[in-house]
Amino acid sequence: MTQQHAQHFAEEWISAFNSHDLTAILNHYADDLEFYSPFITGLKFNESGCITSKQELERYFQVGLSAYPDLYFILHTVFVGIDTLVIQYTSVNGRLASEVFQLNEHGKAEKVLCHYAMDISIS
């Protein structure tokens, strides 16, 4: 993983979410994956906080985009690891977020760990 590849992935990922383009968003993910986020339980999508298929991820993102129609992310920093990257950004309602992406050989996220600096309980 190079800084250039990680930066490109992050910028495309942010752009896809900011345009609310579900097809472009999903293009960043592998068909079989592990996706962990406290928003999964916060949005009452499931109780485990984990999604394991792209079809389920699509339904989850549809719920999220409906719950946050003004969703807009601001990219701050991209960190590079071995076949991983971390995107630090401002998420919904001004929440600072970091997501760890483990990419497969095709450059698609196969494991994602989402973290937020503030309570994500949905009221």
Side-chain angles (χ1 to χ4, degrees), residues 25-77:
I25 293 168
L26 291 168
N27 190 47
H28 293 87
Y29 298 89
D31 291 336
D32 295 313
L33 55 89
E34 293 177 53
F35 182 95
Y36 298 88
S37 174
F39 269 98
I40 295 170
T41 55
L43 290 170
K44 300 185 181 359
F45 188 80
N46 73 34
E47 292 181 10
S48 72
C50 179
I51 290 172
T52 57
S53 76
K54 196 170 187 176
Q55 291 175 334
E56 191 178 16
L57 189 64
E58 179 176 14
R59 289 192 301 275
Y60 166 68
F61 285 151
Q62 286 171 335
V63 169
L65 290 171
S66 293
Y68 297 100
D70 297 328
L71 177 143
Y72 187 84
F73 295 161
I74 300 169
L75 180 61
H76 297 294
T77 309

Side-chain angles (χ1 to χ4, degrees), residues 37-43 68 91-92 95-96 115-123:
S37 174
F39 269 98
I40 295 170
T41 55
L43 290 170
Y68 297 100
S91 181
V92 296
R95 290 179 177 96
L96 187 60
H115 304 80
Y116 300 91
M118 298 169 16
D119 181 29
I120 61 88
S121 57
I122 309 299
S123 44

